[in-house]
Amino acid sequence: RKEVEQDPGPFNVPEGATVAFNCTYSNSASQSFFWYRQDCRKEPKLLMSVYSSGNEDGRFTAQLNRASQYISLLIRDSKLSDSATYLCVVNIYNQGGKLIFGQGTELSVKP
Amino acid sequence: DAGITQSPRHKVTETGTPVTLRCHQTENHRYMYWYRQDPGHGLRLIHYSYGVKDTDKGEVSDGYSVSRSKTEDFLLTLESATSSQTSVYFCAISDQHDTSTDTQYFGPGTRLTVL
């Protein structure tokens, strides 16, 4: 079983739609959680960290459920420029500062 | 954008040849990482460095070696390239190893094809 699992998609949505991505992790020692964004043939870039209380950055909302070992990312009012692959990433406490990446969920926003 | 460059950006080589990829940073960050990215897998850590001449293995280190003789440069060597090492290789840097307090910044990647 993969340590971090995501639905690979693709998610095809119209502009203005709300879309949610989910991610599950298997190691209960996971300490920190992130969403990265990766554009086609580009490097990953940090989108946002995920905090226990949930956090919001503009149109993006991240949630963490430690009991269910589940992370989510909600994108409201989708823009064409949101088209990318979204990577769920965890830092596992007993593996030092190393990051474990999910395989990513592809989002395509259409006009 | 963090000052990270990778060279070459694209390379095609033949099975059995040695290949060296270079990662160069201008941020003076202590930690540097090499990842590979393949379809159906997330990014997987190959090796990382926590200082000059200090390196450690990651999840998929077999067939790879690294060296860091200067803070700014981290080299990844495929000692004898195989087709299974065809991949996109990303270098990353961070100032802290504790990613709960710091972010890893990625270079633009190197696309390597082993024929």
Side-chain angles (χ1 to χ4, degrees), chain A residues 2 32 34 38 43 91 97 103, chain B residues 37 40 45 97 99-100 103 107:
Chain A
K2 293 180 179 176
S32 308
F34 310 90
Q38 186 173 24
E43 71 272 23
N91 168 330
Q103 65 175 349
Chain B
Q37 186 174 37
L45 183 66
H97 197 43
T99 49
S100 64
T103 301

Side-chain angles (χ1 to χ4, degrees), chain B residues 41-60:
Chain B
H41 295 274
L43 279 90
R44 292 179 291 174
L45 183 66
I46 304 171
H47 282 279
Y48 69 101
S49 169
Y50 46 98
V52 173
K53 297 192 188 327
D54 292 323
T55 65
D56 203 353
K57 294 180 179 180
E59 177 188 357
V60 289

